Amino acid sequence: MVTLEENGSKVAMGKVSAELAVTPGTATSMVKNMERDGWLKYYPRQGVSLTRKGKKVAMNMLRRHRLLETFLVETLGLDWSEIHIEAEELEHAISEKVLEKLDEFLGSPRYDPHGHPIPSKGGTIQRPSSQTLQNCDAGITVRVESILDQDSDFLKFAREKELLPGKAVSVIKSEKLADVITLKIDGREPFSMGFRSAEKILVV
Amino acid sequence: MVTLEENGSKVAMGKVSAELAVTPGTATSMVKNMERDGWLKYYPRQGVSLTRKGKKVAMNMLRRHRLLETFLVETLGLDWSEIHIEAEELEHAISEKVLEKLDEFLGSPRYDPHGHPIPSKGGTIQRPSSQTLQNCDAGITVRVESILDQDSDFLKFAREKELLPGKAVSVIKSEKLADVITLKIDGREPFSMGFRSAEKILVV
DNA sequence: ATATATACTTTGATTGATCAAAATAGTAAA
DNA sequence: TTTACTATTTTGATCAATCAAAGTATATAT
């Protein structure tokens, strides 16, 4: 008897052929080709499971898909219900370079409009760092991980200040009573922001 | 590709097969299929010309292409010289709905970053100037309208010299026999270029 | 245990895209 | 006119994707 563990990560051929909308025979031959190319492991009459290589591109596709969905909703204002199909088309056409520019433009969002986490460039789904700029002490330097707020005006402000993912930020002052934090990025002018806004910046 | 479709008169099969990077025999059979589907008229051993239906989709593709190029430069900040290839991929994947949202987001621009007019939704296009830098006399000043060549090296050169759409250019010398024209832009150093290159710059 | 149903694989045929090479038409040169 | 050249078309073959239908293994029910 096949246990759950043995069957664990494998996807049955029936699912594959249904998902791809092809006959079972076609699914079998597609899967064999993909195994030849190293994308997945095929266990006849049991199913398929992705190889490391396969998982990597799958994660990348998920990243593409979710970033595009975010763009379609946040920037272009499409309805959340119609973005899936649109993103499905675009995710195959967009280059890595354009994707990363888009990510930057959006402020490296952590979640897509459906609330699904967006995998990082490296292919891992980040668990949210709980550290925000708000609770950083004066004198220390942190790296921006992401901007939680998706509001395009806030993102514009962040971009203006170069308060972008990956940037090193020095905390000059943090005045709890005044509810304000003063920051410096690279060689630029220091600037201040309220705790309410600082809370929207995740850092490590 | 777009260039071929833009031209109203017949395009020789040699051009078609070269542009699509297929053997002449393949071009012939592709063209026959496209005639069957009503995209173009095929005159054996003479060439092809688009039908009204074919022209309509070609114009739509041009609109897609140029709106996307505008987006890539204006919004995402990609380099001027690398957008052509990126847009070529995306123009086939983007839906009509997303395209119109993008147009709205960009503020319905009339010209793309190269200075080329963007066809309207209805498919009409403002006819570009037929005047090129090549046939400008010494002493006069013109405004760059657009750059015809999409080659990224040429675009890089143009940007270096600030030979960009909208710029005023003074023609210092134009030596027909030597096949060279000398230009000055703003307060910068004058520079020269051959007629072959000057021919690629549309001016008014 | 045996029979039956279900899920999957194999087989064989079809279709469409493509190419290389041979055939042909149209054009320029002698 | 005849010849030679060039562009284009035709032909025949290959390859990959796909499907329908037949065959096979595995699970389920009796």
Side-chain angles (χ1 to χ4, degrees):
Chain A
M1 217 225 264
V2 179
T3 70
L4 271 179
E5 289 91 312
E6 280 166 352
N7 214 2
S9 55
K10 280 177 232 163
V11 176
M13 294 305 292
K15 300 270 182 191
V16 174
S17 80
E19 188 61 36
L20 301 178
V22 294
T23 61
T26 303
T28 300
S29 85
M30 288 172 91
V31 146
K32 282 178 175 174
N33 286 337
M34 294 181 78
E35 179 168 58
R36 162 176 46 69
D37 297 341
W39 303 115
L40 45 78
K41 197 84 209 301
Y42 168 47
Y43 305 91
R45 288 180 196 276
Q46 293 183 63
V48 293
S49 65
L50 293 177
T51 59
R52 226 178 341 270
K53 177 178 164 187
K55 277 190 189 125
K56 207 172 149 205
V57 304
M59 272 300 174
N60 186 255
M61 270 301 161
L62 207 56
R63 172 173 168 78
R64 287 161 173 256
H65 187 87
R66 293 182 174 171
L67 275 175
L68 281 165
E69 284 194 340
T70 306
F71 168 72
L72 292 174
V73 168
E74 298 291 329
T75 309
L76 297 190
L78 267 82
D79 194 89
W80 74 269
S81 59
E82 55 192 355
I83 57 178
H84 181 72
I85 299 176
E86 302 285 1
E88 198 125 75
E89 291 301 314
L90 289 168
E91 70 189 11
H92 300 293
I94 194 168
S95 76
E96 206 58 34
K97 175 171 261 164
V98 173
L99 188 79
E100 294 316 321
K101 286 283 189 181
L102 193 66
D103 177 55
E104 196 181 300
F105 171 74
L106 294 169
S108 295
R110 179 176 297 278
Y111 296 99
D112 75 6
H114 298 298
H116 300 144
I118 300 174
S120 75
K121 198 177 172 183
T124 55
I125 290 192
Q126 306 170 357
R127 55 190 161 283
S129 145
S130 52
Q131 179 85 343
T132 72
L133 254 186
Q134 188 192 13
N135 34 39
C136 289
D137 294 324
I140 71 168
T141 295
V142 292
R143 192 176 56 74
V144 176
E145 185 173 294
S146 69
I147 285 105
L148 293 182
D149 196 323
Q150 292 306 303
D151 177 66
S152 89
D153 286 332
F154 184 73
L155 290 176
K156 195 179 275 178
F157 156 78
R159 201 166 45 252
E160 226 161 61
K161 298 299 188 187
E162 296 200 31
L163 195 57
L164 302 170
K167 283 278 177 182
V169 180
S170 302
V171 181
I172 306 292
K173 276 189 293 188
S174 179
E175 301 162 284
K176 289 211 165 37
L177 294 176
D179 183 40
V180 71
I181 188 169
T182 304
L183 309 164
K184 192 173 170 193
I185 299 176
D186 294 342
R188 306 179 91 234
E189 273 297 292
F191 65 96
S192 300
M193 64 195 299
F195 272 25
R196 179 134 306 155
S197 296
E199 200 179 16
K200 299 171 181 171
I201 315 289
L202 287 186
V203 298
V204 287
Chain B
M1 200 219 298
V2 172
T3 343
L4 285 183
E5 289 163 353
E6 254 183 324
N7 193 333
S9 54
K10 278 176 254 175
V11 176
M13 292 307 291
K15 299 272 182 191
V16 175
S17 80
E19 188 62 36
L20 302 179
V22 294
T23 60
T26 302
T28 299
S29 84
M30 289 171 92
V31 147
K32 281 177 175 174
N33 287 337
M34 294 181 78
E35 178 168 56
R36 161 176 47 70
D37 297 340
W39 303 114
L40 45 78
K41 196 84 210 302
Y42 168 46
Y43 305 92
R45 288 183 195 273
Q46 294 182 65
V48 293
S49 67
L50 293 177
T51 59
R52 202 170 289 104
K53 177 179 164 187
K55 276 188 191 128
K56 206 174 150 205
V57 304
M59 270 300 171
N60 186 255
M61 271 299 160
L62 207 56
R63 172 173 168 80
R64 287 160 173 257
H65 186 88
R66 291 181 177 173
L67 274 175
L68 281 165
E69 285 195 340
T70 305
F71 168 72
L72 292 174
V73 169
E74 298 288 323
T75 308
L76 297 190
L78 264 84
D79 195 90
W80 208 48
S81 59
E82 57 192 357
I83 57 177
H84 181 70
I85 300 176
E86 302 284 1
E88 197 124 75
E89 292 302 314
L90 289 168
E91 70 189 10
H92 300 294
I94 193 168
S95 77
E96 206 58 34
K97 173 171 261 165
V98 173
L99 188 78
E100 294 316 321
K101 286 283 190 181
L102 193 65
D103 178 54
E104 197 181 300
F105 172 74
L106 293 170
S108 296
R110 290 215 217 120
Y111 298 95
D112 76 4
H114 300 298
H116 300 147
I118 299 175
S120 74
K121 199 176 172 184
T124 56
I125 189 171
Q126 180 177 322
R127 202 177 126 41
S129 150
S130 56
Q131 176 88 345
T132 71
L133 252 186
Q134 188 192 14
N135 34 40
C136 289
D137 293 326
I140 72 168
T141 295
V142 293
R143 191 177 58 74
V144 176
E145 182 174 293
S146 64
I147 283 93
L148 295 180
D149 197 322
Q150 294 298 307
D151 177 68
S152 90
D153 286 332
F154 185 72
L155 291 177
K156 208 171 272 177
F157 157 78
R159 196 174 49 253
E160 227 159 63
K161 298 300 188 187
E162 297 202 29
L163 199 55
L164 303 170
K167 283 279 177 181
V169 179
S170 302
V171 181
I172 306 291
K173 275 189 295 188
S174 179
E175 301 162 285
K176 290 213 164 37
L177 294 176
D179 183 40
V180 71
I181 189 168
T182 304
L183 308 165
K184 191 173 168 189
I185 298 177
D186 295 340
R188 307 179 90 235
E189 272 296 291
F191 65 95
S192 300
M193 64 195 301
F195 272 26
R196 179 133 308 153
S197 295
E199 199 178 16
K200 298 171 183 171
I201 316 288
L202 287 187
V203 297
V204 286

